[in-house]
Amino acid sequence: MSVSLMIDGKPHSANEGECLASVLMRQQPPVFRQHPVDGSPRTAFCMMGVCFECQVEIDGIRGQQACLVVVRDGMTVRRGRM
Ligand code: FES
């Protein structure tokens, strides 16, 4: 079964129970955020909640770790400088 979510304003589908970070890793380029100081692209590294490189905004709440979040129908995700 699949769920629908929005990533940066565009519709996407994912498998029910899938980790949000794995969905974002399929995007091209697989950038999760830009570094707040120099704007360099960052992507998930540890996939277990340690490095904080996977931070995104989920349903309006910034700084959430995508590797610790399971996708759900109607979820809105924004990537950006954080
Ligand atoms: S990938 Fe390291 S905290 Fe999410």
Side-chain angles (χ1 to χ4, degrees), residues 44-54 65-68:
F45 181 70
C46 72
M47 296 297 282
M48 60 182 187
V50 175
C51 73
F52 286 77
E53 295 290 2
C54 64
Q65 293 164 277
C67 69
L68 302 179

Side-chain angles (χ1 to χ4, degrees), residues 9-62:
K10 295 180 182 168
H12 290 269
S13 63
N15 295 315
E16 187 175 313
E18 188 173 15
C19 170
L20 176 58
S22 68
V23 176
L24 294 174
M25 291 287 266
R26 292 199 297 267
Q27 308 303 307
Q28 289 302 321
V31 175
F32 284 57
R33 65 184 183 98
Q34 284 78 42
H35 192 279
V37 175
D38 65 8
S40 61
R42 314 301 292 183
T43 193
F45 181 70
C46 72
M47 296 297 282
M48 60 182 187
V50 175
C51 73
F52 286 77
E53 295 290 2
C54 64
Q55 291 181 84
V56 294
E57 180 182 305
I58 301 172
D59 296 333
I61 302 173
R62 293 171 51 93

